[in-house]
Each structure stands twice: as C-alpha cells, then as structure tokens.
Amino acid sequence: MNISVPDILISEVGPRDGLQSVKATMRTADKCQWIDSLVAAGLREIEVCSFVPAKTLPQMADAVEVVRHALTHRGVTVMALVPNRRGAESALKAGVHKLTIPVSASTAHSLANVRKTPEEMVEEVRAIVALRDAMAPSVKVEAGISTAFGCTLQGVVAEEDVVWLAKKCIMAGADESGLSDTTGMANPAQVRRLFDKVRAAIGDKTGAAHMHNTRGLGLANCLAAYDVGVRTFDSSLAGLGGCPYAPGASGNVVTEDLVFMFESMGLNTGVNIERLIAAREFLRVGLPGEPLYGMVPEAGLPKGWTAPKRQHSVVGSAA
Ligand code: ZN
C-alpha cells in the first residue's frame, strides 16, 4: 500500500479537555457527531473522554457510550484520560487504544487536581501499567506531565522536578511522557530547553506537547517544540477547554490554527483544514452560546492557499 505518512500527529483533545471545562453538558448524540466530523477531517488520534466519577464531571457520564461510538471508526486511536486505577479499569473495559494519565509536576496542583502528591501519582502510573498488562497489553499508556512550565498555585516549577517526574513515569512503565503547559505560562525558549532535557532523560519515549494559548504563545510554543523534535501535538477544535483546577487558565491551542501553521510550512498533518473548519458547526449545535476561538476560521484561508502534497513528506521520519 502506498499511503503517505503524515509528518505531524495532531491529537485532538476537545471532546475531553474541552468539554470538561465548559458548564454545559453536551448530548451524547452531539458528541458522537462531533467526533465523526473530526474523523472526517482526517484526525487520527482523539481523546474522547475521561473516566472519572459522574458526580465530579457530569459531562463525562456517557464515557463508555462515547468510546463505543469512537471505536466504530477504523484507523483512529481512541484515547481516554484516567486519573486513577478505577478510571483505567473502566477505560480498558470500554476498549480504548490509549490511556493518558495526568501527572502534575506541581505538588499544589497535583493535590488540588487528584488529591495525590507527584510521588503518589507515579505509584498510580505503576498500578495502571500493571492493570494494562493484565487486561489489554496492546493499549498504550501515556503520562502527561501537567504544570510542566509553571503553576498558578505554586508559581515556578523547577525543570529538574519535571525531568525527574517524566523519568519516574517511564521507569514505572509508561510508554511515553509528554509535557503540558496546563496554565499557559510557557515561552518558546523554555519549551525548547525543557523538551531537550526530557529527551536527554527518556529519549524516544518523549511524548506530545500540550500547549495552551492563555497568553497568546500557544502556536509559538508548538513551533519551538517542533524545532527540538516533537512530532505529536495536542490541540482542541475551536480552542475549547483549559483546566478547571488552574484558576485563570483557559484556551487550548486551536486545532484549526495549528494545522494551518504546519501545513503552510509544507508539513503534512493528514488533516483537511476545510473539513476541520466545517466541524465547528457541530460544536455550535452541541454547545449553543459557547465561544468558539480560532484566527484561521475567522480570517479564512489565504487566496491561492494549498495544502502540501499528501504523497510527499517534507521532513524525515517522525522523531
Ligand atoms: Zn489543555
């Protein structure tokens, strides 16, 4: 088969990260249609839900149904966020392909978010990996280091703490460890430096860059991460979402703008930007009144703009 391998993997987090920070609860049927439209746009990895108690996040009460629907799409990696063993067990039973565990580098944020210290979360990662090995060995486990670039509660987060934690998570059995700018405090120089340090510690187990646009540096930070070898980026359609436990933080990187940046540079994301913009309609319908962000959808594509040739890879294999 002669299919092109995209240079960049965009991991869409809107159905999880986005929905858990809006007040309204989206209907299951609307979520499914939204996911269908994301798949139709060419997204191949989607974080579709989190497995948390329904009383904590009523928006995620239909997680099993949403996963079941997402699994009907072949070739799409269906991801779920799990904060603990119980969540992981439910997610594995539901049949997800990949688990992502939020592990905060800031003790204050970790306690607020999951009521555990970072060290205790490493043990949770170990337990989830054991569960994965027993229940579904092919499922990938990612530890996302949150507040990696700063914390609204603690302030500065030491880079050594982040590198230490990423290394501990890999030693505990996680397949990859990425870095999240949960509170939108990162700058490009810091992103380059920290990803370099993490790569020096865990090599090709370095995972995704999850950047926020809280202070307008989301795309600049993604580009900085790209420059030092990151090839997987989390983002959210229309910039929906943020972290409910980080006061003042809002705004994931907008998938539409991120795809536009990379494709304009001649890098293949595998995503069709027109279809991506069309997918916003399902958000408008499913979450009436919710603000939708994005510069490219507002301005439109430039006259004469074309996506890079799908058969031709500009850069080498993904790092
Ligand atoms: Zn986020």
Side-chain angles (χ1 to χ4, degrees):
M1 253 200 323
N2 185 20
I3 51 163
S4 63
V5 179
D7 306 306
I8 305 277
L9 177 64
I10 306 283
S11 185
E12 169 66 40
V13 300
R16 194 282 302 169
D17 191 329
L19 287 188
Q20 79 171 43
S21 42
V22 299
K23 283 205 174 68
T25 298
M26 200 176 191
R27 288 171 53 233
T28 309
D30 290 334
K31 286 188 192 180
C32 293
Q33 278 200 314
W34 175 22
I35 289 168
D36 294 347
S37 70
L38 295 170
V39 174
L43 287 156
R44 287 157 298 120
E45 185 171 289
I46 307 177
E47 201 173 305
V48 298
C49 62
S50 55
F51 281 85
V52 290
K55 63 170 170 24
T56 317
L57 279 176
Q59 295 95 324
M60 296 294 145
D62 57 358
V64 172
E65 267 175 280
V66 171
V67 168
R68 193 182 301 137
H69 179 80
L71 288 172
T72 61
H73 293 288
R74 286 178 56 179
V76 175
T77 302
V78 177
M79 247 174 122
L81 181 136
V82 296
N84 52 36
R85 265 168 285 199
R86 245 175 85 191
E89 193 175 355
S90 306
L92 291 168
K93 270 192 196 143
V96 302
H97 302 126
K98 192 168 172 182
L99 301 175
T100 182
I101 312 167
V103 183
S104 191
S106 148
T107 302
H109 179 262
S110 191
L111 289 171
N113 202 6
V114 291
R115 276 170 280 155
K116 288 192 176 77
T117 63
E119 289 85 353
E120 286 166 341
M121 275 308 289
V122 170
E123 291 317 306
E124 205 64 38
V125 170
R126 198 186 310 282
I128 291 170
V129 167
L131 201 64
R132 182 276 311 267
D133 292 347
M135 288 177 69
S138 64
V139 169
K140 292 274 172 278
V141 174
E142 172 194 73
I145 311 296
S146 43
T147 62
F149 301 93
C151 172
T152 34
L153 304 170
Q154 177 183 305
V156 173
V157 174
E159 293 185 355
E160 307 83 78
D161 291 354
V162 176
V163 176
W164 174 86
L165 194 55
K167 214 166 145 181
K168 281 285 181 188
C169 288
I170 296 302
M171 284 163 69
D175 297 294
E176 54 189 76
S177 193
L179 301 180
S180 298
D181 184 22
T182 315
T183 57
M185 289 163 81
N187 68 70
Q190 186 188 16
V191 169
R192 279 194 201 95
R193 196 169 58 238
L194 198 50
F195 266 106
D196 270 342
K197 286 185 180 177
V198 168
R199 193 176 299 282
I202 62 170
D204 62 5
K205 292 189 186 299
T206 306
H210 181 114
M211 297 301 169
H212 279 193
N213 203 34
T214 318
R215 292 176 177 80
L217 297 185
L219 284 184
N221 288 333
C222 286
L223 189 58
Y226 176 82
D227 285 344
V228 292
V230 174
R231 293 295 178 267
T232 304
F233 297 86
D234 292 357
S235 61
S236 157
L237 192 78
L240 198 70
C243 178
Y245 302 102
S250 67
N252 285 299
V253 166
V254 176
T255 306
E256 300 89 309
D257 294 346
L258 186 65
V259 167
F260 176 75
M261 178 180 79
F262 284 131
E263 296 265 326
S264 296
M265 291 167 65
L267 296 163
N268 183 4
T269 63
V271 179
N272 178 305
I273 197 159
E274 285 95 347
R275 284 192 202 155
L276 193 60
I277 291 171
R280 293 162 67 93
E281 199 45 42
F282 293 95
L283 270 186
R284 242 176 234 120
V285 171
L287 289 174
E290 199 62 44
L292 304 185
Y293 302 98
M295 309 296 274
V296 174
E298 287 293 324
L301 291 168
K303 193 176 163 80
W305 188 86
T306 50
K309 275 203 173 74
R310 297 283 171 223
Q311 265 68 36
H312 177 70
S313 180
V314 175
V315 294
S317 63

